[in-house]
Amino acid sequence: MPTLVYIFILIFELLFLIGFSSFVLSLLWSSSKGAPYIPTKKKIIDSILKELNPKRGKIFYELGCGDGRVLRAAVFKYKVKGYGIDVNPFLIWFAKFLTSRESLKNCTFAKQNIFGTNISKADYVYLFLMPDSLMKLVPKFKKELKKGAIIISHGFKIEEFKSKLIRTVPNVPFATYYYQM
């Protein structure tokens, strides 16, 4: 009997190590594709969305969505239609799991490269990306976003859009910048 217990413990530890290793590798892979996965605290998300005050039924994209916590909060509180995009399949699976658990409607997640995602219908685009990735997205924003669309960049300014800056919220540890196209 004790041998069977040791076998179960060994199997459990092995599964944990495989799962943990896969998770860490997927996070490293995400980091190499644009930004590390850094979850934003609920209090900060509430502050960002309150300042934005998105309108019911509008289209909200979260590029590099991670577990989709900003998008899920926007869909839940403001009744927007949400689209979360990330290259990390583990995080997309987790975002879908959380969305299902919360019984949220109008919330879709897809494993895609943010640079290839069509955002032409977006009213709001939320980002928490590194400055290099933001700069690479500028031509896409100029080409695809409709007049009046709002970009919310948490953490870093989009230098190219200085003239489009409509609001800055000095959250800690990262400020949030709102730009209107």
Side-chain angles (χ1 to χ4, degrees):
M1 185 70 167
T3 305
L4 193 55
V5 171
Y6 291 127
I7 290 172
F8 280 123
I9 290 172
L10 183 61
I11 290 171
F12 176 77
E13 288 177 347
L14 185 60
L15 290 174
F16 175 78
L17 286 174
I18 290 170
F20 183 73
S21 298
S22 298
F23 177 71
V24 169
L25 288 174
S26 74
L27 294 182
L28 291 172
W29 186 64
S30 290
S31 296
S32 72
K33 296 290 184 181
Y37 170 61
I38 302 172
T40 305
K41 293 180 180 172
K42 184 184 180 322
K43 182 178 175 184
I44 300 294
I45 293 169
D46 290 344
S47 167
I48 290 167
L49 292 174
K50 183 179 178 184
E51 194 67 34
L52 176 64
N53 193 25
K55 304 299 178 232
R56 179 185 199 101
K58 295 291 185 175
I59 308 292
F60 190 108
Y61 273 79
E62 184 177 2
L63 301 182
C65 67
D67 65 9
R69 61 184 58 202
V70 175
L71 184 64
R72 291 191 333 269
V75 168
F76 178 76
K77 279 191 169 178
Y78 296 93
K79 309 301 183 224
V80 296
K81 294 178 185 174
Y83 298 92
I85 308 299
D86 205 293
V87 295
N88 187 317
F90 177 80
L91 290 173
I92 288 297
W93 173 85
F94 192 52
K96 288 178 178 180
F97 169 77
L98 293 172
T99 300
S100 174
R101 193 180 76 183
E102 296 167 5
S103 300
L104 288 175
K105 305 293 183 225
N106 291 326
C107 201
T108 303
F109 293 94
K111 183 199 149 311
Q112 293 177 359
N113 184 316
I114 61 174
F115 299 101
T117 300
N118 182 341
I119 56 170
S120 61
K121 294 182 180 173
D123 295 297
Y124 311 105
V125 178
Y126 175 83
L127 315 149
F128 188 11
L129 300 173
M130 302 302 287
D132 288 350
S133 295
L134 291 173
M135 289 312 297
K136 289 178 187 174
L137 283 167
V138 166
K140 179 178 192 58
F141 292 152
K142 287 180 177 179
K143 180 180 176 186
E144 293 182 21
L145 287 178
K146 59 189 170 188
K147 184 174 175 53
I150 296 176
I151 300 168
I152 307 98
S153 180
H154 183 61
F156 301 98
K157 292 180 182 178
I158 303 174
E159 293 299 330
E160 182 82 16
F161 290 154
K162 281 182 188 176
S163 64
K164 298 179 183 308
L165 183 67
I166 57 172
R167 188 174 305 124
T168 301
V169 177
N171 293 314
V172 175
F174 298 103
T176 305
Y177 306 92
Y178 300 77
Y179 302 90
Q180 189 161 28
M181 300 304 286

